[in-house]
Amino acid sequence: QVQVVESGGGSVQTGGSLTLSCAASEFPYEGAYMGWFRQAPGDDREGVATIRLGNRAGHYADSVKGRFTISQAIAENTVYLQMNGLKPEDTAMYYCAARRASYTDSPLDPDEYTYWGQGTQVNVSS
């Protein structure tokens, strides 16, 4: 059974930084996607940053480009999200998700992902 486990998150002030990590157990790595999504109260879940394991480049929402960086530790089926320059509008529950191998042309679409973690809260105060 695939399990997706997040860690990190917390509360910071505007301009601060946080790092989230996500590990997927029993997950076939080759060509799979993993990444981060977020949902604020009253909003739909949105893609933040995802990456196809083994590729260098990630996919980013326009709102986080230049501030967030997704990276991977392939051997551990783990991805990280380094969040710098945090803003109050980044406040949300952040979820990690994984998708088995097969290409998708919508790598930031939550509907494309099968396995989800429980979420970790990020709060950014002004």
Side-chain angles (χ1 to χ4, degrees), residues 44-68:
D44 292 333
R45 191 169 297 188
E46 63 173 353
V48 175
T50 65
I51 192 166
R52 194 170 193 187
L53 299 185
N55 287 3
R56 288 188 174 183
H59 309 274
Y60 295 92
D62 288 343
S63 59
V64 305
K65 283 180 181 176
R67 300 189 296 123
F68 291 11

Side-chain angles (χ1 to χ4, degrees), residues 33 37 47 49-51 59 103-110 112-113:
Y33 291 79
F37 300 78
T50 65
I51 192 166
H59 309 274
Y103 175 76
T104 173
D105 58 6
S106 302
L108 290 172
D109 184 349
E112 295 288 307
Y113 290 76

Side-chain angles (χ1 to χ4, degrees), residues 5-77:
V5 180
E6 305 110 334
S7 60
S11 297
V12 296
Q13 293 186 326
T14 296
S17 298
L18 286 171
T19 302
L20 307 181
S21 62
C22 170
S25 64
E26 304 298 327
F27 190 63
Y29 131 77
E30 189 69 29
Y33 291 79
M34 289 180 68
W36 294 94
F37 300 78
R38 67 186 181 188
Q39 188 169 21
D43 291 344
D44 292 333
R45 191 169 297 188
E46 63 173 353
V48 175
T50 65
I51 192 166
R52 194 170 193 187
L53 299 185
N55 287 3
R56 288 188 174 183
H59 309 274
Y60 295 92
D62 288 343
S63 59
V64 305
K65 283 180 181 176
R67 300 189 296 123
F68 291 11
T69 303
I70 190 168
S71 60
Q72 58 189 294
I74 296 174
E76 291 80 35
N77 273 6

Side-chain angles (χ1 to χ4, degrees), residues 6-21 36-41 48 64 67-68 81-96 118-125:
E6 305 110 334
S7 60
S11 297
V12 296
Q13 293 186 326
T14 296
S17 298
L18 286 171
T19 302
L20 307 181
S21 62
W36 294 94
F37 300 78
R38 67 186 181 188
Q39 188 169 21
V48 175
V64 305
R67 300 189 296 123
F68 291 11
L81 186 66
Q82 177 65 42
M83 304 186 293
N84 298 326
L86 283 161
K87 305 175 181 180
E89 51 263 44
D90 294 317
T91 294
M93 184 70 79
Y94 283 68
Y95 298 90
C96 182
Q118 293 299 307
T120 185
Q121 182 69 35
V122 172
N123 294 314
V124 185
S125 59

